[in-house]
Amino acid sequence: MSFLNFDREDYFKETDCLISLIKNNPNDNFHEVFTNSIIIDLVINLEIFIERTLECYINQLQILNIKSSILHENIRKEHLKKLFSDALSFSQHEHKIDKFNISIQDISKFMTDQNLDQIHIDLKLGIGKHGEKELSNLFKRIGFHEIYKIILIPNKSESMLEEITYLDIEDFIQTLTSKRNIAIHQGVSLHTIFSIEKLENLSNNL
């Protein structure tokens, strides 16, 4: 997506540092100590990146200042749902009357199909919500169904002559999240599952 100013270092700097630490100290127990932290960090930063990607997409739609009728029906539904939710919340507090009035005006703009310079939509994962299904539902909110069939990420190859294969993104996220859950909820060390090479491959795919 051309509107993204994505610098991988902004998201995975800590992970890369831990992996380098493990590689450079093979005789110490850093691999055992830090593997769980690496997996948890990868999941957290992957989710943050996806949330910010979707926010950038919505920001671009806002810049276009288009009519509500042109938006995908899922965006229209989520936008209107957020407006009504905010209006209801603001109406219960006298000191928020100005915000309530703004919400009503935004609802009116939507219903009369005026140009929208603000699109109100919740693009955050809920607390305790993780995994490939939750991320897929996040994309559905802005109209992208079956996102794992739309996005193709080629596996890294050492030779240009090799046949191009693609990362199974859904399985990749499911595996990463399930291992993250084991690390957090069961306290099991994942160093026997993820070799240093596997940790590097995981990080490089992001």
Side-chain angles (χ1 to χ4, degrees):
M1 298 182 182
S2 60
F3 54 80
L4 285 176
N5 293 317
F6 173 62
D7 185 349
R8 186 186 178 284
E9 289 296 314
D10 291 341
Y11 295 87
F12 301 105
K13 184 184 298 183
E14 293 180 6
T15 304
D16 292 340
C17 285
L18 288 176
I19 292 175
S20 295
L21 183 65
I22 293 172
K23 285 184 65 179
N24 295 330
N25 298 274
N27 296 324
D28 294 313
N29 64 343
F30 290 153
H31 183 206
E32 180 178 355
V33 172
F34 291 120
T35 296
N36 284 21
S37 296
I38 291 171
I39 297 301
I40 294 169
D41 192 62
L42 284 173
V43 173
I44 290 172
N45 287 299
L46 174 62
E47 292 175 348
I48 291 173
F49 169 66
I50 290 175
E51 288 175 347
R52 290 180 180 173
T53 299
L54 301 189
E55 288 171 359
C56 286
Y57 176 75
I58 292 299
N59 287 339
Q60 290 300 305
L61 291 181
Q62 290 177 160
I63 291 172
L64 293 175
N65 198 30
I66 59 180
K67 294 181 181 297
S68 60
S69 59
I70 299 176
L71 294 171
H72 189 279
E73 60 180 329
N74 287 28
I75 297 178
R76 297 173 72 243
K77 180 181 70 175
E78 293 292 334
H79 171 69
L80 194 57
K81 184 168 67 175
K82 184 71 166 60
L83 289 179
F84 275 116
S85 176
D86 287 347
L88 180 61
S89 176
F90 296 147
S91 69
Q92 298 174 23
H93 305 277
E94 288 188 13
H95 65 284
K96 293 184 177 180
I97 189 64
D98 289 341
K99 291 183 177 180
F100 170 76
N101 289 333
I102 291 173
S103 291
I104 296 301
Q105 290 171 11
D106 287 339
I107 291 172
S108 176
K109 286 176 66 174
F110 178 88
M111 300 303 292
T112 55
D113 199 23
Q114 297 180 41
N115 289 16
L116 301 179
D117 57 359
Q118 292 289 324
I119 299 174
H120 302 273
I121 182 169
D122 184 5
L123 293 172
K124 298 290 185 184
L125 289 167
I127 296 175
K129 301 292 186 180
H130 306 279
E132 74 286 356
K133 291 182 180 179
E134 294 298 332
L135 290 173
S136 177
N137 289 335
L138 210 57
F139 277 94
K140 286 179 182 177
R141 291 181 196 174
I142 61 171
F144 291 98
H145 296 270
E146 298 185 331
I147 190 63
Y148 300 120
K149 294 181 180 179
I150 297 173
I151 298 177
L152 297 177
I153 300 178
N155 288 310
K156 289 181 172 57
S157 173
E158 296 182 359
S159 171
M160 296 292 291
L161 300 177
E162 292 183 21
E163 182 180 354
I164 297 176
T165 59
Y166 295 93
L167 178 69
D168 186 334
I169 304 174
E170 185 173 11
D171 180 70
F172 176 83
I173 295 175
Q174 192 278 330
T175 299
L176 200 58
T177 305
S178 67
K179 300 310 180 193
R180 170 255 183 212
N181 292 341
I182 290 173
I184 290 179
H185 300 298
Q186 299 180 26
V188 177
S189 177
L190 303 175
H191 75 284
T192 57
I193 300 174
F194 294 101
S195 64
I196 298 175
E197 183 181 3
K198 282 186 177 180
L199 289 173
E200 277 193 297
N201 289 337
L202 281 174
S203 182
N204 289 336
N205 278 326
L206 296 173

